[in-house]
């Protein structure tokens, strides 16, 4: 195995181990030694790839968000390709894909919503919410519209309820009910 391949494998093993440790113990209780032990790596290799425990957590978050953005983008592009042009319907299509990703990666999504992240993580989350509102405003073609704030806020609350729910079947039904209501909101 080449050095670059070995480095990528070590990085991936560290992220996989960190994910498991953070999910089972939470960020605050997770230890670097447990992560490297579970990854079959050394503390030195962890610090070669990451600046520490917080960097592992933030990398997991960024990669999750990237997958979520890809899911929603593909869903919206697919709907546009089928002729859909109504911004609210496109929002619902993207929202359904985002919620689907939350179901697919429920434990990881819940990790980020529990409030047990590194210092400053809540600021990052608020910034992401503002970015999400701006992207939705672009979708709706309305930079300051109340509709954008309403649908974005409703979906954010639904994501939280779905991800933190113990009953997956009920959460799926709930998410579809929320999407149905959002889809019926009258346009201003």
């Amino acid at each position: 195995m080449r050095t670059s391949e070995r480095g990528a494998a070590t990085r991936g093993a560290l992220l996989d181990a960190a994910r498991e440790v953070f999910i089972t113990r939470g960020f605050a209780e997770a230890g670097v030694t447990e992560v490297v032990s579970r990854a079959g790596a050394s503390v030195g290799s962890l610090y070669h790839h990451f600046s520490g425990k917080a960097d592992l957590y933030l990398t997991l978050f960024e990669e999750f968000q990237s997958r979520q953005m890809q899911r929603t983008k593909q869903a919206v592009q697919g709907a546009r390709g089928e002729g859909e042009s109504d911004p609210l319907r496109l929002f619902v299509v993207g929202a359904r894909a985002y919620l689907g990703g939350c179901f697919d990666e429920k434990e990881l999504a819940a990790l980020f919503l529990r409030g047990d992240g590194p210092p400053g993580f809540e600021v990052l989350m608020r910034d992401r919410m503002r970015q999400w509102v701006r992207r939705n405003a672009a979708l709706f073609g309305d930079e300051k519209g109340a509709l954008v704030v309403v649908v974005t806020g409703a979906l954010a609350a639904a994501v939280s309820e779905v991800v933190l729910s113990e009953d997956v079947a009920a959460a799926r039904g709930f998410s579809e009910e929320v999407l149905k209501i959002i889809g019926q909101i009258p346009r201003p």
Side-chain angles (χ1 to χ4, degrees), residues 21-43:
V21 172
F22 292 150
I23 286 170
T24 58
R25 294 176 129 347
F27 176 79
E29 295 298 317
V32 169
T33 55
E34 184 177 0
V35 171
V36 296
S37 174
R38 196 175 280 212
S42 68
V43 173

Side-chain angles (χ1 to χ4, degrees), residues 68 71 95-105 172:
Q68 288 291 78
R71 287 175 176 114
R96 184 171 283 115
Y98 189 93
L99 285 163
C102 289
F103 282 112
D104 291 347
E105 300 187 57
R172 285 187 188 279

Side-chain angles (χ1 to χ4, degrees), residues 140-160:
F140 284 88
D142 183 7
E143 289 298 320
K144 295 183 176 92
L147 179 60
V148 172
V149 172
V150 168
V151 298
T152 303
L155 185 59
V159 165
S160 183

